[in-house]
Amino acid sequence: TDEGLAVAERARRIVHEMDDIASDIKARDEEITGETRLGVLGTTARWFMPRLLTSLSHSYPGIRTIVHEGSTSSLLPRLSNGTIDAAIVHMPVDDPELFSQPLFAEDMLLLAHSKHVLASYDTISLTELATFPLLLPPRSTAFRRIVDRAAANKGVALQAQAEIDGVRLLTSLAFEGFGPAIVPATAIPGWLKGEFARVAIPELPRRVVGWASRRRPIPNKSTRATLDVTKNVVAKSGDRQPGVMTTLVPSSQTSSTVKA
C-alpha cells in the first residue's frame, strides 16, 4: 500500500542512520568503513566516477559506494529527504539546509547535427542563436536560468523547440538530429566522433558543478572522506577534460560555500 511504502522508506533512512552511527564510532580508532550514497550528474559521472571509485578503493577500501545518476532537479530532493548522502550537481544550490561548494567549471557549447545549418558555425552569438529553435533544459533548472539570464543581457530570448530535463537525454537527441542543443562540455567527450559539430558560445558563462550535502545531520565519516577524495580527483584530473577548469570558479554561481 502507499502507507506501507511510506513506512518502509522512513525505516530505511532510520536503519541507514543507525549504520552510520555504528560506522562512525568504529572509525574513531580504526580504518574508516561504511556506506556512502552519492548522487552525480550523468555528464560528470562519465569521466569522474571511474577515477573516484579507483581512488576510494586505494585510500579507503572499507567504504562501500552506492552511486545514483540523475539531474540536479532530481538529486537535490533526494538529498534533502535523506535518500542519498551527498550529490555532485549544477550550482548554485539555493537551499539553506544544504552545504555546498564548487568543484569545477565547464564551458557550455552548442551541439548541432552535421546536417543542421548551425553545424557550419565555429562560434555563434546569443543574438544569432535566438533566431533558431533549440533543445533546452526546463525553465525551473539552474542551467536554464543561467542561459536565459545571459540571453536577456543581450536583449534576446531563446526559442525552446522542446524542454528536456536531463543533459544526457538532451545530448542524445541532438546527436540524433532532433535539434541543436546547449550542453556542457563534458556532455561531448573529446574522444567522441560522429556527425555533429561543437559550436562555441562565448557570451555564455561556464557551468559550475559542485558538491552538496545536508548540514544536519552531518554526513557520516564515509561521506566526508569521499568529499576529500573527490576534491583530490578533481584537482588532479579535472583540467585534463576538454572544456573543464578547476580554477577561477565564479563565486556568484555558488551557494553556502562554507567549510564542512
Side-chain angles (χ1 to χ4, degrees):
T1 63
D2 290 342
E3 291 81 3
L5 289 173
V7 170
E9 182 57 38
R10 289 179 182 272
R12 289 189 191 98
R13 292 202 292 269
I14 292 170
V15 170
H16 183 67
E17 289 294 331
M18 294 297 292
D19 288 342
D20 285 350
I21 291 171
S23 296
D24 281 357
I25 291 173
K26 184 178 179 181
R28 291 180 62 185
D29 302 310
E30 302 178 19
E31 182 180 10
I32 294 178
T33 62
E35 180 179 282
T36 183
R37 301 166 299 175
L38 179 64
V40 61
L41 298 168
T43 52
T44 298
R46 182 186 283 123
W47 71 267
F48 174 74
M49 289 310 303
R51 293 169 173 83
L52 176 67
L53 294 175
T54 299
S55 294
L56 275 173
S57 67
H58 290 159
S59 301
Y60 299 101
I63 293 179
R64 176 170 174 255
T65 309
I66 301 174
V67 181
H68 301 262
E69 181 186 333
S71 63
T72 298
S73 58
S74 67
L75 292 174
L76 288 180
R78 299 175 71 182
L79 178 58
S80 295
N81 67 25
T83 307
I84 57 178
D85 299 309
I88 296 174
V89 294
H90 184 191
M91 307 286 272
V93 175
D94 297 319
D95 186 337
E97 299 302 316
L98 298 179
F99 157 80
S100 63
Q101 67 178 87
L103 295 171
F104 63 87
E106 60 181 317
D107 293 334
M108 292 198 285
L109 309 171
L110 181 72
L111 172 62
H113 192 277
S114 58
K115 294 182 180 180
H116 196 281
V117 63
L118 287 173
S120 63
Y121 287 70
D122 291 324
T123 301
I124 192 168
S125 69
L126 288 171
T127 300
E128 292 176 286
L129 201 55
T131 63
F132 296 91
L134 306 170
L135 301 177
L136 295 169
R139 293 183 184 276
S140 59
T141 62
F143 191 171
R144 178 65 180 278
R145 289 195 295 271
I146 290 171
V147 171
D148 284 349
R149 191 179 304 123
N153 288 339
K154 298 298 178 181
V156 297
L158 299 181
Q159 304 177 49
Q161 176 182 343
E163 296 186 356
I164 311 296
D165 188 10
V167 175
R168 293 191 70 176
L169 176 57
L170 191 70
T171 306
S172 295
L173 291 171
F175 280 139
E176 294 296 326
F178 185 74
I182 296 176
V183 298
T186 53
I188 322 169
W191 50 262
L192 189 63
K193 307 297 179 184
E195 297 182 350
F196 64 88
R198 300 175 179 86
V199 182
I201 314 172
E203 295 164 340
L204 281 183
R206 293 185 177 93
R207 176 172 91 150
V208 178
V209 174
W211 174 279
S213 58
R214 292 185 304 280
R215 293 184 181 277
R216 294 289 183 274
I218 63 172
N220 61 23
K221 287 190 176 181
S222 295
T223 301
R224 303 202 299 274
T226 300
L227 171 57
D228 291 337
V229 175
T230 291
K231 291 189 287 189
N232 290 335
V233 169
V234 169
K236 183 180 296 185
S237 303
D239 288 331
R240 300 178 188 174
Q241 313 309 311
V244 171
M245 287 189 167
T246 59
T247 57
L248 303 177
V249 176
S251 60
S252 62
Q253 292 188 36
T254 66
S255 174
S256 305
T257 52
V258 299
K259 292 183 179 180

